[in-house]
Amino acid sequence: MKFDTKTIHGGQEDIDPAYGAVMPPIYQSSTFKQISPGKDKGYAYARSGNPTRTALEKSIASLENGKYGLAFGSGLAAIDAIFRLLKPGDEVISTSDLYGGSFRLFDGVFKDMGIRFHFVNMQTTKSIEKYINDKTKLIWVETPTNPMMSIIDIESISMLSKQHKILLAVDNTFATPYLQQPLELGADLVMHSATKYLGGHSDVIMGSVVVNDDSLAERLYFIQKACGAVPGPMDCFLVSRGIKTLHLRMQRHCENGKAIAQYLRKHPKVQQVYWPGFEDHPNHEIAKKQMKGFGGMVSFSMKGNSYEEAMSFLKKLCIFTLAESLGGVESLAGHPASMTHGSIPKEEREKSGVVDSLIRLSVGIEDIEDLIEDLQNAFRK
Ligand code: P1T
């Protein structure tokens, strides 16, 4: 089955054996009647499993060409579940430029539980090698990175991780499985904030993990059930519905993202535009190799690097909404230093380029002329 068909039918065979509904029914039930004690019809208690959630989990697994899918109550809950595979004393090598909330979870929760983190600029695979030792158990990659749009070579890191028997996990939130399939490139785990492009309509918080390995899946299902960070059936339905148009939305996100990146690059007030589609982007060749397109996320800094000017620009936008999050049909604008990446110390975040004038755009699927006019007005006034 091709990807565009999978968004609609992947993992959805016989979705409603009872009545043949074509959409996964919303089983808004916390528990299921048992035939006799301990014997049920496939579902016993909704923390362990719910048919609406199963439908979504199968759909996400199919999109990532993976065997097993798991849904969680948020993207961070999905990351939390992955890190529960580790033990005190284990070491993790993580991308240094990453979502601020992921950094907060690593530095503010897992560090205190005895996990040691090395935050590394992964632009070259060589830079990772010197941090590998016997205790290294996981490599955490975000690509494209949030918010600097750096590209990390998944296939090349997977060769290194396999050689050293280290798990490789990829946060695929920015790319989506439409543009990039990390398991195909050798990753062991692929994670999403389904809140973003998978849901696609900014109306739900959710996370997911997909794996191929049987024992890894078994342990993650155990963690999902034991820790209980599961999404509700209504939210699972919403993400299932969102996924059905993922391919169409992504095409427009990519088109609009490209037009905005090119417009910004020519603007006299703009210092630098971060978008992996530019031929002179430091890792453009890797982006071309591992992604089908360059996505709808664009970041840029302003000349003079003035915090005040960035604020005034953001306040003047009308169609772009000033808000955290990304990946919805509507265009959003954010100021990473004070919003999504505020939890990263200033010195650290500036090292990866998150300066005071940096603005991040989640380019939506509106008419491109309206979007460019909105930016033009915000620069002009
Ligand atoms: O918000 P949640 O569903 O828990 O997902 C966390 C998360 C994980 N990974 C990446 C790459 C993310 O971008 C996010 C959430 N990001 C935002 C809310 C944001 O505005 O960047």
Side-chain angles (χ1 to χ4, degrees):
M1 211 186 270
K2 301 271 195 298
F3 188 87
D4 293 8
T5 311
K6 277 188 182 176
T7 60
I8 297 157
H9 300 290
Q12 307 301 288
E13 303 80 23
D14 204 16
I15 195 77
D16 176 28
Y19 298 111
V22 296
M23 281 299 289
I26 303 164
Y27 281 89
Q28 195 72 48
S29 185
S30 60
T31 191
F32 297 82
K33 185 178 170 182
Q34 306 206 354
I35 302 159
S36 58
K39 196 169 169 222
D40 55 53
K41 294 182 185 165
Y43 294 93
Y45 184 61
R47 174 162 32 75
S48 316
N50 170 300
T52 321
R53 192 172 95 213
T54 306
L56 172 67
E57 291 177 331
K58 287 184 171 170
S59 160
I60 296 178
S62 150
L63 295 183
E64 289 288 1
N65 286 341
K67 250 164 102 178
Y68 304 102
L70 297 99
F72 293 90
S74 69
L76 284 175
I79 301 177
D80 178 73
I82 293 174
F83 277 76
R84 284 170 193 270
L85 295 167
L86 305 177
K87 289 195 285 298
D90 287 349
E91 296 192 9
V92 175
I93 305 173
S94 163
T95 329
S96 53
D97 165 26
L98 80 168
Y99 171 53
S102 306
F103 175 81
R104 184 175 48 211
L105 177 64
F106 299 164
D107 191 62
V109 177
F110 282 103
K111 200 173 83 181
D112 288 346
M113 293 167 75
I115 312 285
R116 186 165 178 218
F117 288 87
H118 302 278
F119 293 98
V120 177
N121 178 336
M122 296 187 180
Q123 302 279 317
T124 60
T125 307
K126 261 196 163 332
S127 59
I128 304 171
E129 242 168 326
K130 64 171 180 261
Y131 295 96
I132 295 180
N133 62 49
D134 292 350
K135 295 180 185 152
T136 314
K137 293 287 156 19
L138 180 76
I139 299 179
W140 183 260
V141 167
E142 215 182 87
T143 181
T145 61
N146 181 359
M148 297 312 297
M149 308 302 297
S150 299
I151 300 294
I152 293 158
D153 191 335
I154 300 173
E155 196 167 25
S156 146
I157 295 184
S158 84
M159 288 193 242
L160 190 68
S161 68
K162 281 187 175 48
Q163 190 189 330
H164 293 274
K165 299 196 169 37
I166 301 167
L167 289 175
L168 171 61
V170 175
D171 182 336
N172 204 25
T173 300
F174 269 38
T176 82
Y178 176 76
L179 298 179
Q180 168 177 288
Q181 292 167 332
L183 297 180
E184 295 285 305
L185 298 167
D188 301 289
L189 303 108
V190 56
M191 170 265 153
H192 281 275
S193 167
T195 312
K196 311 295 172 346
Y197 289 103
L198 295 185
H201 296 74
S202 304
D203 50 9
V204 71
I205 296 280
M206 198 187 294
S208 70
V209 178
V210 179
V211 297
N212 270 325
D213 182 77
D214 299 350
S215 57
L216 201 51
E218 196 182 328
R219 183 67 190 157
L220 284 166
Y221 283 122
F222 176 80
I223 290 169
Q224 185 193 39
K225 173 180 166 168
C227 303
V230 293
M234 183 65 199
D235 286 353
C236 292
F237 170 81
L238 286 172
V239 174
S240 285
R241 182 161 79 163
I243 284 174
K244 289 184 191 291
T245 55
L246 177 68
H247 53 305
L248 296 176
R249 288 185 283 107
M250 286 313 292
Q251 283 164 27
R252 181 66 88 87
H253 282 299
C254 288
E255 270 168 42
N256 283 358
K258 179 179 181 182
I260 299 260
Q262 286 172 338
Y263 161 77
L264 286 170
R265 194 171 226 201
K266 288 196 207 108
H267 200 282
K269 286 196 175 168
V270 170
Q271 176 71 33
Q272 199 168 343
V273 183
Y274 301 91
W275 179 68
F278 289 132
E279 279 180 17
D280 57 1
H281 180 283
N283 292 111
H284 177 67
E285 288 308 316
I286 299 166
K288 264 198 340 201
K289 185 181 75 168
Q290 70 186 17
M291 299 170 77
K292 197 169 120 184
F294 304 109
M297 296 300 296
V298 182
S299 297
F300 68 98
S301 57
M302 292 169 89
K303 283 200 180 130
N305 192 27
S306 150
Y307 171 85
E308 287 71 26
E309 213 170 317
M311 289 298 124
S312 125
F313 174 86
L314 287 167
K315 277 189 201 143
K316 286 183 220 146
L317 291 168
C318 292
I319 295 178
F320 279 87
T321 303
L322 175 64
E324 301 214 358
S325 205
L326 58 112
V329 287
E330 69 296 313
S331 292
L332 301 180
H335 183 249
S338 60
M339 294 166 66
T340 45
H341 293 68
S343 56
I344 303 178
K346 188 174 163 71
E347 208 178 291
E348 282 305 309
R349 69 172 185 252
E350 290 198 339
K351 261 193 240 164
S352 30
V354 185
V355 294
D356 280 350
S357 73
L358 189 83
I359 288 171
R360 188 191 74 181
L361 302 177
S362 170
V363 182
I365 62 170
E366 300 95 334
D367 189 293
I368 189 62
E369 286 182 19
D370 287 335
L371 294 181
I372 289 184
E373 194 182 310
D374 197 32
L375 297 175
Q376 224 152 15
N377 287 339
F379 277 124
R380 200 182 293 136
K381 277 185 242 165

